[in-house]
């Protein structure tokens, strides 16, 4: 099929991160809806959602729903609240490849994407009302996050297990150390440029691009500062201050490329380093943010200060990373002696 929006110069739009918004990837239902609906559909993802991860998640959710509707011979203007509700019910009971069901947050995220798209179609006068507006997702609340957390000893063991005789080891130690000691989101860290490490007075600071386009500046812990200094010296980035700070490696060459690391690159590195250190926990990028916050609180840090360092809008979010109660629960459960 030819590009239905070619005459509107769709190719001139800014790139949409890792997500392809090419019309051939669109649901057939939206293709049939006409040029005006197609343009509004494209604008919603390419112009209104700046976070590439959110854009990709919402695009998958909407495409999945429209495919479901298309299989039931529905057109865009025929979708009603009962259809959206039926889809949410089906999605909530669907089994994944591993036999598990989608979690309530995933279901709520799917519904949010559908609602927001239809809101945008309504304001663009493509459809008369939002059929998802009245549909409610599953009830869900949590006071404890699910991110695997390491003890201080395990975190130290992992870092000490890294061979730092080469620039790749120095990079990995510095990256893990920065997430651990600065409570940094992996997306903000891997997006850093060399100039985002700077001196303020006698201390090293870092600049992180957080959610919502906010720049968050944090002083670097002296240990993380040592890791960063060693990595920067070995990498020799002084002549390219605007280049990516964390760079990929070319195979097993132990040499850095000019390409910046992604979240996936960081995750693969962390999993590899954890396995080599003999850590069985399912560690992930977020593990070090949660571990750093927990250790900070264990050592008398205030939850409000942790929220400020982590760039959380509310301390309630920071509390999801607080796993001090896990240790208490384990100590208490060991009182059961037969």
């Amino acid at each position: 099929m030819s590009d239905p929006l070619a005459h509107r110069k769709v190719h001139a739009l800014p790139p949409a991160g890792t997500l392809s918004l090419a019309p051939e990837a669109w649901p057939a239902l939206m293709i049939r809806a006409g040029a005006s609906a197609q343009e509004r559909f494209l604008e919603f993802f390419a112009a209104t959602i700046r976070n590439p991860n959110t854009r990709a998640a919402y695009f998958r959710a909407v495409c999945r729903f429209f495919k479901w509707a298309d299989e039931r011979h529905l057109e865009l203007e025929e979708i009603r609240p009962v259809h959206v509700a039926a889809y949410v019910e089906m999605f909530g009971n669907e089994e994944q490849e591993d036999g598990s069901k989608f979690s309530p947050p995933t279901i709520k995220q799917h519904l949010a994407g559908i609602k927001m798209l239809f809101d945008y179609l309504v304001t663009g006068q493509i459809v008369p009302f939002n059929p998802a507006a009245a549909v409610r997702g599953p009830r869900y609340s949590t006071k404890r996050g699910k991110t695997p957390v390491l003890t201080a000893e395990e975190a130290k063991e992992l870092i000490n297990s890294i061979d730092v005789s080469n620039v790749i080891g120095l990079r990995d130690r510095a990256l893990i150390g920065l997430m651990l000691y600065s409570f940094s989101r992996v997306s903000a860290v891997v997006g850093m440029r060399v100039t985002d490490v700077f001196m303020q007075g006698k201390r090293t600071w870092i600049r992180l691009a957080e959610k919502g386009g906010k720049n968050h500046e944090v002083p670097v812990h002296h240990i993380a500062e040592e890791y960063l200094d060693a990595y920067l010296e070995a990498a020799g980035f002084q002549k390219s201050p605007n280049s990516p700070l964390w760079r990929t490696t070319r195979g097993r060459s132990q040499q850095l490329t000019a390409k910046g690391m992604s979240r996936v690159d960081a995750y693969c590195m962390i999993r590899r380093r954890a396995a080599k250190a003999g850590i069985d926990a399912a560690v992930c990028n977020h593990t070090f943010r949660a571990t750093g916050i927990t250790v900070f609180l264990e050592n008398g840090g205030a939850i409000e200060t942790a929220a400020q360092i982590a760039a959380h809008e509310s301390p309630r979010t920071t509390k999801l990373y607080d796993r001090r109660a896990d240790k208490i629960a384990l100590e208490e459960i060991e009182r059961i002696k037969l």
Side-chain angles (χ1 to χ4, degrees):
M1 179 180 290
S2 61
D3 187 339
L5 294 182
H7 65 289
R8 300 175 189 260
K9 297 183 179 180
V10 173
H11 61 277
L13 286 167
T18 58
L19 174 66
S20 171
L21 291 178
E24 54 266 24
W26 296 2
L29 181 151
M30 184 55 64
I31 295 293
R32 296 194 302 269
S36 295
Q38 294 163 15
E39 183 174 29
R40 197 69 177 172
F41 179 82
L42 180 61
E43 284 179 355
F44 173 71
F45 292 103
T48 69
I49 305 175
R50 301 315 318 149
N51 186 296
N53 301 320
T54 302
R55 181 189 295 128
Y58 281 5
F59 186 76
R60 287 192 297 268
V62 166
C63 288
R64 188 184 183 106
F65 169 66
F66 280 156
K67 180 182 178 183
W68 177 91
D70 192 40
E71 291 171 348
R72 285 150 185 81
H73 309 291
L74 294 170
E75 298 298 340
L76 182 64
E77 65 277 6
E78 296 174 336
I79 296 175
R80 297 292 183 267
V82 66
H83 299 132
V84 181
Y87 169 76
V88 171
E89 186 72 19
M90 179 279 301
F91 184 65
N93 291 316
E94 183 177 325
E95 288 190 355
Q96 302 181 74
E97 292 182 0
D98 61 359
S100 64
K101 294 184 178 181
F102 291 101
S103 66
T106 300
I107 300 170
K108 290 172 75 71
Q109 183 189 59
H110 263 63
L111 182 57
I114 296 167
K115 284 184 176 181
M116 288 180 64
L117 172 63
F118 271 107
D119 274 342
Y120 199 69
L121 295 177
V122 169
T123 57
Q125 300 182 348
I126 304 301
V127 294
F129 67 95
N130 185 342
V135 180
R136 300 187 64 178
R139 302 181 73 175
Y140 175 77
S141 65
T142 182
K143 295 182 179 180
R144 180 183 182 275
K146 295 182 178 180
T147 303
V149 173
L150 302 177
T151 64
E153 292 75 18
E154 288 173 328
K156 186 175 181 180
E157 180 181 348
L158 190 155
I159 290 176
N160 289 341
S161 70
I162 298 175
D163 177 10
V164 291
S165 63
N166 56 74
V167 70
I168 304 304
L170 291 170
R171 179 203 65 182
D172 295 352
R173 184 181 67 171
L175 179 56
I176 291 174
L178 202 62
M179 290 192 291
L180 179 66
Y181 285 104
S182 301
F183 313 163
S184 307
R185 292 184 180 90
V186 64
S187 295
V189 173
V190 296
M192 292 175 66
R193 319 297 285 185
V194 176
T195 52
D196 290 326
V197 181
F198 60 97
M199 297 298 296
Q200 189 162 300
K202 296 183 179 181
R203 291 300 300 272
T204 300
W205 285 58
I206 56 172
R207 185 183 300 105
L208 302 167
E210 294 288 354
K211 293 180 178 179
K214 299 177 182 178
N215 281 334
H216 179 54
E217 296 183 351
V218 188
V220 180
H221 190 283
H222 73 277
I223 294 178
E225 184 178 28
E226 293 176 8
Y227 297 164
L228 264 176
D229 288 345
Y231 168 56
L232 288 171
E233 183 178 355
F237 292 154
Q238 293 82 355
K239 295 183 180 179
S240 50
N242 293 316
S243 63
L245 175 62
W246 312 103
R247 308 201 189 168
T248 58
T249 182
R250 187 177 292 105
R252 299 179 181 272
S253 66
Q254 301 295 325
Q255 295 179 350
L256 298 174
T257 70
K259 180 183 177 183
M261 294 177 69
S262 66
R263 293 183 309 136
V264 175
D265 293 327
Y267 174 76
C268 292
M269 177 274 289
I270 287 167
R271 293 293 296 165
R272 185 172 65 252
R273 293 297 186 185
K276 195 169 183 179
I279 295 175
D280 296 328
V283 296
C284 60
N285 292 327
H286 239 43
T287 291
F288 302 99
R289 182 172 169 86
T291 299
I293 290 173
T294 299
V295 173
F296 175 80
L297 296 174
E298 285 177 342
N299 287 302
I303 192 75
E304 293 78 11
T305 304
Q308 184 179 1
I309 298 172
H312 284 149
E313 294 291 336
S314 168
R316 288 181 296 179
T317 304
T318 313
K319 288 180 180 178
L320 296 175
Y321 295 85
D322 180 7
R323 303 300 176 77
R324 289 174 293 175
D326 291 1
K327 185 176 181 180
I328 297 173
L330 181 60
E331 291 174 350
E332 292 301 315
I333 205 70
E334 290 300 328
R335 293 181 183 275
I336 305 173
K337 298 179 180 180
L338 300 180

